[in-house]
Amino acid sequence: MPTQRNPRAGQCVTPPGARTDVSENLDAATLCSSGSNEPLPGTAKPGRVVLALEHFGGWGRDILDGEALGEELTAQVKAYLAEHGAQLQFIRKPGKAGQERQERSTRSLYIAWCTGTTDSTPVLERLEINEPADLLSVDLSQPGNTPGAEREDGSLLLVCTHGKRDRCCAVFGRPVALELAQRYSNVWESSHTKGHRFAPSMILLPSNYSYGHLTTDQAAAVLDAAATNRIALTGNRGKGTLDPASQVAELAVLTELADNHTVDADLLNVYRPGDTTPAHLAGKGPKEKERTTRTVELDADTAELRADTVELRADSATPTRWTVHLEQQVVGPVISSCGDPSKNSTVWVPVSVTPLP
C-alpha cells in the first residue's frame, strides 16, 4: 500500500523470503547486502538504553542531522542522549497502518533497559507522548521513574527500512517488515540499525540482540523464540550491551551449547581476562590485542535442546564456565554501504571454546 512518505512503501520489490532477487531496476552488484561474506557475530549496534520513538515525518539520512527534528531540538536531544548514555531509533508501523497512525494525537515511545535492573533481566517500557520534544522530560535514571510509562511484556522487533541512509534497507527490509507486521503486532520499521551490508538488519528489544540476513520466516522464529524467553541464533549478530569481541565469545558458547542444549542467554555473562565484572560495550575497556580470551559464565549447567535457539533452565546453583580464545582475521571483500568500494575488514573469530572445570 503506497503512503505519502514513500509511494513504494509496502510494495515487495523482492519476492517474500528471498534476498538475492532484487528489482529489475536495481543492480544487485551495487547492493552492499548482496555479496557480503563477513561473519555476523560481533557486529551488533551498541546500546544499554535504547529509545524507540514513533516519528511520523521524514527521517533524513541521519535522524539527528537536523532534518527530522530541526536544528535546535536535535542539539538538545543529542545532549540528552549523551548525558544518559542512550541510543535513539525512529520507528513507524509498516504500510497502511503507519499512515493511519499519523492521525493520532500521541505517539509511542518505547524505553528498552537492555542490561535490566538488579537481576539483569532486560526491561521494556512504553509511554505515550504528544511531540518529540517530550522525550527530553523522560527520566532515564532507572525503570519505573517516568510518570505514565508502563512496563511492557514481550519484545519488539525493529526492522531497518531506512532507505535514505542505504537503499539495501529499503529493498530488503521493507518487504520483510510488512509481511511480519501482518502476523505480529510487535514489529516496527526502524531507522538505521547499523550494518546495511547485513540487510534486512534488525534489533530485538529489550534484549538488544541484532540480527542480519534473515528471511521473513527466520525473523518470525526470532519473535517466537523471544515470546518464550529464548534467543534465536540464526542470523544473530550479537548482544549490543557487549563489546564486539565479547559478542563473538558469547555467541560461540551459545552455538556450542545449542548442539546439545538450549540456554537462556540473559543469565550468561562474559568477562575479559582479569575482570571481575562483566564486559560491557566497545570502547569501555582496555584496548584489544590481536589475540585475546573471554571467560563466559553460565548460571546453571543443565538444559535441553531446541534448534536455533538458546534457553536456560536454572536447575543448579553451580556456574559453568568456558574460555573462548579469539583472534582477529581479515575477511573480504566487504562493501560497507551501497555504492562504496569494496575493501577488506578485520573481524574477531573464535579459535576454540574450552569448558573449565
Side-chain angles (χ1 to χ4, degrees):
M1 173 67 68
T3 65
Q4 293 175 349
R5 62 172 173 80
N6 188 329
R8 298 178 67 192
Q11 297 179 3
C12 290
V13 294
T14 65
R19 291 192 52 262
T20 55
D21 258 348
V22 298
S23 167
E24 293 179 357
N25 297 322
L26 295 173
D27 178 8
T30 67
L31 294 176
C32 60
S33 184
S34 296
S36 175
N37 63 353
E38 182 181 359
L40 292 172
T43 64
K45 184 174 184 177
R48 301 179 68 178
V49 178
V50 179
L51 305 175
L53 173 65
E54 186 175 17
H55 186 68
F56 301 127
W59 292 351
R61 187 181 185 278
D62 188 313
I63 61 173
L64 293 178
D65 61 8
E67 180 176 334
L69 301 179
E71 296 294 339
E72 182 178 356
L73 180 56
T74 295
Q76 294 173 336
V77 169
K78 283 183 176 180
Y80 166 81
L81 295 173
E83 178 185 357
H84 295 93
Q87 303 294 321
L88 177 65
Q89 301 289 136
F90 280 174
I91 59 174
R92 59 189 170 212
K93 281 295 183 181
K96 184 178 179 180
Q99 186 176 5
E100 292 174 341
R101 286 177 65 89
Q102 296 184 37
E103 306 302 321
R104 299 171 74 243
S105 59
T106 63
R107 62 191 70 204
S108 294
L109 170 67
Y110 291 91
I111 311 168
W113 307 87
C114 306
T115 55
T117 52
T118 53
D119 63 355
S120 300
T121 300
V123 173
L124 182 65
E125 295 180 315
R126 183 182 62 82
L127 175 68
E128 289 294 310
I129 63 175
N130 295 315
E131 57 185 2
D134 294 342
L135 179 71
L136 302 175
S137 63
V138 175
D139 187 339
L140 293 182
S141 58
Q142 64 180 18
N145 275 16
T146 297
E150 298 180 354
R151 187 165 296 200
E152 290 275 302
D153 294 329
S155 300
L156 299 181
L157 186 65
L158 309 186
V159 183
C160 184
T161 61
H162 200 160
K164 200 165 186 178
R165 180 68 175 257
D166 196 284
R167 61 178 178 168
C168 262
C169 300
V171 171
F172 294 125
R174 193 166 291 145
V176 171
L178 184 63
E179 287 192 343
L180 284 173
Q182 294 169 354
R183 298 159 58 180
Y184 300 88
S185 62
N186 54 345
V187 175
W188 296 76
E189 291 188 7
S190 174
S191 59
H192 182 48
T193 56
K194 184 184 177 185
H196 320 292
R197 60 198 181 277
F198 306 122
S201 177
M202 310 173 192
I203 295 177
L204 183 70
L205 296 178
S207 61
N208 203 17
Y209 279 94
S210 289
Y211 288 86
H213 291 331
L214 295 186
T215 65
T216 301
D217 286 344
Q218 289 170 337
V222 171
L223 287 168
D224 291 342
T228 55
N229 199 33
R230 294 174 288 140
I231 296 296
L233 293 182
T234 299
N236 199 319
R237 298 170 52 196
K239 189 175 179 67
T241 60
L242 299 173
D243 61 70
S246 296
Q247 293 172 26
V248 174
E250 184 195 47
L251 288 175
V253 171
L254 296 182
T255 300
E256 189 82 7
L257 290 175
D259 291 337
N260 298 294
H261 301 79
T262 54
V263 185
D264 183 344
D266 290 342
L267 297 181
L268 191 147
N269 294 314
V270 184
Y271 297 84
R272 295 187 183 95
D275 283 358
T276 57
T277 58
H280 286 296
L281 292 182
K284 299 297 184 181
K287 182 178 177 61
E288 302 289 358
K289 298 180 180 180
E290 290 187 356
R291 187 178 179 95
T292 188
T293 63
R294 290 291 187 276
T295 299
V296 181
E297 180 173 314
L298 184 67
D299 291 344
D301 60 4
T302 58
E304 66 176 26
L305 173 65
R306 292 186 193 172
D308 296 330
T309 62
V310 291
E311 177 184 17
L312 178 72
R313 299 198 172 182
D315 299 327
S316 170
T318 304
T320 300
R321 297 167 64 90
W322 297 263
T323 293
V324 182
H325 290 269
L326 305 170
E327 69 178 18
Q328 289 185 314
Q329 294 182 2
V330 176
V331 299
V334 172
I335 303 175
S336 60
S337 187
C338 291
D340 287 354
S342 61
K343 61 182 180 181
N344 291 333
S345 178
T346 302
V347 300
W348 288 105
V349 296
V351 178
S352 64
V353 179
T354 307
L356 296 178

